[in-house]
Every structure is written in C-alpha cells, then in structure tokens.
Amino acid sequence: MQLFGQMMYQPMLLSSLLERAARQYSGVEIVSRDAEGDIHRYTYRDCHTRSGQLAQALQAYGIKVGDRIGTLAWNGYRHMETYYGVSGIGGVCHTINPRLFPDQIAYIINHAQDRMVFFDASFAALVEQIAGQCPRVERWVMLCEKAPLPPSFSISVESYEDLIGGLDENFEWPHFDERLAAVLCYTSGTTGDPKGVLYSHRSLTLMAFSSALPDSLGLSAVETVAPVVPMFHVNAWGLPFSAPLVGAKLVFPGAKLDGESLHSLFEQEGVTLSAAVPTVWLGFVDYMRRSGKATQTFKRAIVGGAACPPQLAASMREVGVKAVHAWGMTEMSPLGTVCSRSHELAHAGEDEWARVSTKQGRALPGVELKIVGPDETELPWDGTSAGELMARGHWVADSYFGSDKSTLRDGWFPTGDIATIDPDGYMHITDRSKDVIKSGGEWISSIELENIALSHPDVESAACIGCAHPKWDERPLLVVVRREGSSLDAWQLLSFYSDKVAKWCIPDDVVFVPSLPLTATGKLQKVALRQKYGNHFVDSLGRT
Ligand code: ADP
C-alpha cells in the first residue's frame, strides 16, 4: 500500500510570493525609471495593493481563468502589477516583445487571442498601427496616469490608473490549481512563426526558489536587483518572482539601456546585481572605461542569452564587476544553468576560474541535462564529447500553446544547442546546431572563432558564420566591426588565429562592416548575415 506523507497541500501560486513580500518586506522598495528618465518609487506593499486592485478590475470586467491579457511594456512597476494582477486571478499574462515586426506582433496577439492589451505610452503608435489587425482585442489600456488621454488616438484607449483607481485595497487572492497557466511568452521565431510557451504557477514558483539559491543567482534580502533583461521576454529571467521571494529591492531601468544610463541608475539606487545579454554589458564596460567611472555597489552581472566572450568577462573584472555566466531559453522559463564555483573549485585562482567560467555552468536543482549523439545515444560527461543538449525538469516546456503535439524526444526537450559536459557537470555550449560550421565533415564552433576575434584589441564586435563552399561544404567567414580609429585588415586578424586554433578552423576571410544586425532580444542575427554573405566564397571563387 502506498503511504502518503501527512503534510498540508498548498498550491504554489505566484500571488503568494507577492503577498508574503508585502507582509514580510513591506517597506522594501521597487524603483522604476520611466521613458522620460523620471523615477517612481514605491514598496512591495504598494505593489501588492495595486496588483489586487487590477485583479478586481479584471474580474469585474469578466476576465476568467485562462483568459489571456497582452502586455507591450518596458520593465517598470505597472508591468510588474500586470504580472501579478492578471495571473493572481487565474488569467494569463501574455508578455509581447515590442521589438518584433508589427505584423509578427499582430500575429502573436491573434494567436494568443488576447482579450485586453496593456501598453506603455511609447508603444502607442505601434498599437494604433496594429489594432485594426487584432479584432479580438476588446480593450486597449495604456499604462499611464488618469485620463484625459491625448485626443489624437485613432482607436479607443483607456488609462490604467482609471481602470484600477478607487478599488478595494484589500483583495483576497483566490486559490486554484498550481498547474494552471500564469504567463505566456512567444519565442522570437527566427525560423517559422513564433511559438507560445505557456508557464504555470508551479513551474515559475519552483524556478524562483531554485534560481535564488546561493549557487544559482545568489539572491537575498540584502541585494538590490536590476533586471535589465526585458520583462517582455521570458519573464526577465524570473527576477520579478525571485526578487520578492527573498525580499530584494528591485530597480527597473525602463527603456534606456545604454552604458551611461545604466551606470547612473545603478549608482543612484545602490544596485548590487543585474542581469542582461552580452551586448548590454559590452556597452556598460565601454562606458565605464571611457568615463573612468567606478561602481560603488554593483558587483555581480548575470550574463546570458548568448555566450559570454571571455574577453568581456575579463573587461568586467577589470572594472570591478564579476560576470556570472548563465544559460537558458524561452522553453526553459528560461534558467537552465548558472556557472558558480564547485566545492573543488572553491579556492581556484583567478586564472583557473576564468577558464571554467567561460562555460555556461551547472544545471539548477530541478533541471537535468544530458548530451546525445546523432543516433540518440547518451555521450559521456568528459568535457570533450560534443552532442545535442537535452533538458528536462520542472520548468521545461513539453509542448507549445495551442498545440497538443509534444516537443519532447523520449521525455527530453531537445534544446538545439551543441554542448559538452565535464565530469563535474559544467556544461559548455559550443554552438547552436543551426550556427555550427560544417567544414569537410568536421564541425567548427562559431562561438570559439568569435571569442578569438573579440580578444583582439582592435575588434569591437564579431560574428562568425558558415558560408557555402564548393569543396568543403561550408567554410567560416568572420564579419567584424573594427574599433573606432583602427585600420585592422583581414590578413592581420586572420594571422592572430594561427597559434589559437587548428589551421583548418581558421576563417577563410573577413568582411568589415559598420555594425552587426541584432535580433529583437539583442543577440547576433546570424540568419540575416547568412542571407547576405551565405555565398561569399562561391561568389569570390567564381570571380577568380
Ligand atoms: P531565441 O534566441 O530564438 O529568441 P531564446 O531567447 O529562448 O530564443 O534563446 C535561447 C538560446 O540562446 C539557447 O538555445 C542558446 O542557443 C542561446 N543562449 C542562451 N544563453 C546562452 C549562453 N550563456 N551561451 C550560449 N548560448 C546561449
């Protein structure tokens, strides 16, 4: 006979995270900088009260369990309230990436069947442009002060403060099944239409607990956390949930993410920890170097979304900030690994740790990883065998919104990344399967070649892509932005590789460009580069 434990059952609901923060850390601040640069300041208690008011407004209008509500907004307190107000009554907060093409945004809103959309004033023109394509949206709500709204609107728009104003300040959050959907986020759709990933209360709560641990993001009540990663893409890596969980102060940077704007905000608010993609940190370090400014409190930067080049980690160290490498993806809510010291490496010197910390790190408790070869056999954790990275765990998607087709292979989610895992469990992404360069039957890691280019003092940014080659199938081409004032040429840069990789891995050519295309989430847009330069070698060999 099975013998069950005799413990209370409490559903894991997101509302309970904020409710506890409002009691336990009631005076801890949430600071938001708006698009104009003005600072708004309130506390977890205020956030909880106003989220409850939003919940009542939605219920009064007839929003039901499972209904989707879209958001088009920067990181800020009203966006945080929609996270909690919508999900707290069983609705689904559908965060939309405003940097996508308007047609893609309309597609996503229609696919999700959003009943209402909340948007920041800076996206008013976008909303007017797409509203006609989204006939199912019943109400457009601008995240702004009370009406009157600008009379120029061509569609009917309400103000957020009108919507929630005057409602009861004491709202009792309903209890429901923890497996119900809470947040919906679409992948960027670099291949095909965007696909919706539907997170549950349970999955997000468990990720918040696990990600706060000392060897994960190391969050605590004494930290001041600035989520620079957008709340419109994969829950700002869960920080709007994990920060209230531990009672950390939150600082939302709004729309301005350049080095100077972030530095001044961090200094003013005493930010200790932040999280962003490498391109943001490149800008940050560049500003600190140019201005000669220091950081007083800011000591840890989570770097993820794309590989953290060793050179970036080294530059951050030089300015006094520790880069903490993390890996994940939309389908993983997104956190899969964080690179932190193992027991064996507790006292490793800086050089040794710098070498290990270029890896993406070890799986968070609650996530399992393995690597498999082309025939699906599991590969050893020896730090050299590279295979497709597979994941499973409490916050890994098993299918996409609106589809009952499983995304899993034999119970595991195929990540599309190629990785090695060493005997201590440190996972290292060598490439994305669609970016890996297949030359004469061998695989060349585009990330490794990019990292070498980035370690050259005259290179500002670099991308490496596989281009069609009549003899070798594909050969690597470097696309490079030089540092200002540099006259670096292709021969000089390619000679730089000679003592760093095998001869056959050295790129065949370099194209210098003024800037590199980025995706809506700030990553290198290699698809666009492949479209433009894919025939570089075919064309140039044809000419000779
Ligand atoms: P998309 O880029 O399609 O929007 P995601 O935002 O979910 O999708 O990105 C997930 C992918 O980003 C991962 O599968 C991986 O290829 C890449 N990625 C994320 N973090 C890292 C990292 N630290 N190092 C290397 N690649 C990373």
Coordinates of all heavy atoms in Angstrom, one line a residue, residues 187-190 233-234 303-308 325-331 360 415 417 429 432 447 521 523, ligand 1:
T187 N 8.5 32.5 -28.5 CA 9.9 32.5 -29.0 C 10.0 33.5 -30.1 O 9.0 33.9 -30.7 CB 10.3 31.1 -29.5 OG1 9.5 30.9 -30.6 CG2 10.1 30.1 -28.4
S188 N 11.2 34.0 -30.4 CA 11.3 35.1 -31.4 C 11.0 34.6 -32.8 O 10.9 35.4 -33.7 CB 12.7 35.7 -31.3 OG 13.5 35.2 -30.4
G189 N 10.9 33.3 -33.0 CA 10.5 32.9 -34.3 C 11.5 33.2 -35.4 O 11.2 33.6 -36.5
T190 N 12.8 32.9 -35.1 CA 13.8 33.1 -36.1 C 13.6 32.1 -37.3 O 14.0 32.4 -38.4 CB 15.3 33.0 -35.5 OG1 15.2 32.0 -34.5 CG2 15.7 34.3 -34.9
H233 N 10.4 39.5 -22.4 CA 10.9 38.2 -23.0 C 11.4 37.3 -21.9 O 12.3 37.6 -21.1 CB 12.1 38.6 -23.9 CG 12.6 37.4 -24.7 ND1 11.7 36.8 -25.6 CD2 13.7 36.7 -24.8 CE1 12.4 35.8 -26.2 NE2 13.6 35.7 -25.7
V234 N 10.7 36.2 -21.8 CA 11.0 35.2 -20.8 C 11.1 35.7 -19.3 O 12.0 35.4 -18.6 CB 12.2 34.3 -21.1 CG1 12.0 32.9 -20.7 CG2 12.7 34.4 -22.5
V303 N 25.2 37.2 -17.0 CA 25.4 37.3 -18.4 C 24.8 36.0 -19.1 O 25.2 34.9 -18.8 CB 26.8 37.4 -18.9 CG1 27.0 37.8 -20.3 CG2 27.6 38.4 -18.0
G304 N 23.8 36.2 -19.9 CA 23.2 35.0 -20.6 C 22.5 35.5 -21.8 O 22.5 36.6 -22.2
G305 N 21.8 34.5 -22.4 CA 21.0 34.8 -23.7 C 21.9 34.5 -24.9 O 21.4 34.2 -26.0
A306 N 23.2 34.7 -24.7 CA 24.2 34.4 -25.7 C 25.5 34.1 -25.0 O 25.6 34.5 -23.8 CB 24.4 35.5 -26.7
A307 N 26.5 33.5 -25.6 CA 27.7 33.2 -24.9 C 28.4 34.4 -24.4 O 28.5 35.4 -25.1 CB 28.6 32.4 -25.8
C308 N 29.0 34.4 -23.2 CA 29.7 35.5 -22.7 C 31.2 35.3 -23.1 O 31.9 34.4 -22.7 CB 29.7 35.5 -21.1 SG 30.7 36.7 -20.4
H325 N 28.1 33.6 -15.6 CA 27.5 33.1 -16.9 C 26.3 32.2 -16.6 O 26.3 31.4 -15.7 CB 28.6 32.3 -17.5 CG 28.5 32.2 -19.0 ND1 29.4 31.5 -19.8 CD2 27.6 32.7 -19.9 CE1 29.0 31.6 -21.1 NE2 27.9 32.3 -21.1
A326 N 25.2 32.5 -17.4 CA 24.0 31.6 -17.2 C 23.5 31.3 -18.6 O 23.7 32.0 -19.6 CB 23.0 32.4 -16.5
W327 N 22.8 30.1 -18.7 CA 22.3 29.7 -20.0 C 20.8 29.3 -19.8 O 20.4 28.8 -18.7 CB 23.1 28.5 -20.5 CG 22.3 27.7 -21.6 CD1 22.4 27.9 -22.9 CD2 21.4 26.6 -21.4 NE1 21.6 27.0 -23.6 CE2 21.0 26.2 -22.7 CE3 21.0 25.9 -20.3 CZ2 20.1 25.2 -22.9 CZ3 20.1 24.9 -20.5 CH2 19.7 24.5 -21.8
G328 N 20.0 29.6 -20.8 CA 18.7 29.1 -20.8 C 18.0 29.4 -22.1 O 18.6 29.8 -23.0
M329 N 16.7 29.2 -22.1 CA 15.9 29.5 -23.3 C 14.5 29.7 -23.0 O 14.0 29.3 -21.9 CB 16.1 28.4 -24.4 CG 15.8 27.0 -23.9 SD 16.6 25.8 -25.0 CE 16.0 26.3 -26.6
T330 N 13.7 30.3 -23.9 CA 12.3 30.6 -23.7 C 11.6 29.3 -23.2 O 10.8 29.4 -22.2 CB 11.6 31.1 -25.0 OG1 12.4 32.1 -25.5 CG2 10.3 31.6 -24.7
E331 N 11.9 28.2 -23.8 CA 11.2 26.9 -23.4 C 11.6 26.5 -22.0 O 11.1 25.5 -21.5 CB 11.5 25.8 -24.4 CG 10.8 26.0 -25.8 CD 11.6 26.9 -26.8 OE1 12.5 27.6 -26.3 OE2 11.4 26.8 -28.0
Q360 N 29.0 27.5 -19.5 CA 27.6 28.0 -19.1 C 27.2 27.6 -17.7 O 26.3 28.1 -17.1 CB 26.6 27.6 -20.2 CG 26.6 28.5 -21.4 CD 27.8 28.4 -22.3 OE1 28.6 27.5 -22.1 NE2 27.9 29.3 -23.2
T415 N 17.2 20.9 -27.1 CA 17.4 22.4 -27.0 C 17.9 23.0 -28.3 O 17.8 24.2 -28.4 CB 18.5 22.7 -25.9 OG1 19.8 22.2 -26.4 CG2 18.1 22.2 -24.5
D417 N 20.9 23.2 -29.0 CA 22.3 23.6 -28.7 C 23.2 22.4 -28.7 O 22.8 21.3 -28.4 CB 22.4 24.3 -27.3 CG 21.7 25.7 -27.4 OD1 21.8 26.3 -28.4 OD2 21.2 26.1 -26.3
I429 N 28.4 25.3 -24.0 CA 27.8 25.4 -25.3 C 28.9 25.6 -26.4 O 29.6 26.6 -26.3 CB 26.8 26.5 -25.4 CG1 25.7 26.4 -24.3 CG2 26.1 26.6 -26.8 CD1 24.4 25.8 -24.7
R432 N 25.1 26.7 -31.5 CA 23.7 26.4 -31.7 C 23.7 25.5 -32.9 O 24.5 25.7 -33.8 CB 22.9 27.6 -32.1 CG 21.9 28.0 -31.0 CD 21.1 29.1 -31.4 NE 19.8 28.9 -30.8 CZ 18.9 29.9 -30.6 NH1 19.1 31.1 -31.0 NH2 17.7 29.6 -30.1
I447 N 31.2 30.0 -32.0 CA 31.4 30.8 -30.8 C 32.9 30.9 -30.5 O 33.4 32.0 -30.2 CB 30.6 30.2 -29.6 CG1 29.1 30.2 -29.8 CG2 31.0 30.9 -28.3 CD1 28.3 29.6 -28.7
T521 N 15.9 40.4 -29.3 CA 16.3 40.2 -27.9 C 17.8 40.6 -27.7 O 18.4 40.2 -26.7 CB 16.0 38.8 -27.4 OG1 16.5 37.9 -28.4 CG2 14.6 38.5 -27.2
K523 N 20.5 39.7 -29.6 CA 21.5 38.7 -29.9 C 21.9 38.9 -31.4 O 21.2 39.5 -32.2 CB 21.0 37.3 -29.7 CG 20.4 37.1 -28.4 CD 20.0 35.6 -28.3 CE 19.1 35.4 -27.1 NZ 18.8 34.0 -26.9
Ligands
ADP1 P1 15.6 33.0 -29.4 O1 17.1 33.4 -29.4 O2 15.2 32.1 -30.5 O3 14.7 34.1 -29.0 P2 15.8 32.2 -26.7 O4 15.8 33.6 -26.3 O5 15.0 31.3 -26.0 O6 15.5 32.0 -28.2 O7 17.3 31.8 -26.7 C1 17.8 30.5 -26.4 C2 19.1 30.2 -27.0 O8 20.0 31.3 -26.7 C3 19.7 29.0 -26.4 O9 19.2 27.8 -27.0 C4 21.2 29.2 -26.8 O10 21.5 28.9 -28.1 C5 21.3 30.7 -26.6 N1 21.9 31.0 -25.3 C6 21.3 31.4 -24.2 N2 22.2 31.6 -23.2 C7 23.4 31.3 -23.7 C8 24.7 31.3 -23.2 N3 25.0 31.6 -22.0 N4 25.7 30.9 -24.0 C9 25.5 30.5 -25.3 N5 24.3 30.5 -25.8 C10 23.2 30.9 -25.1

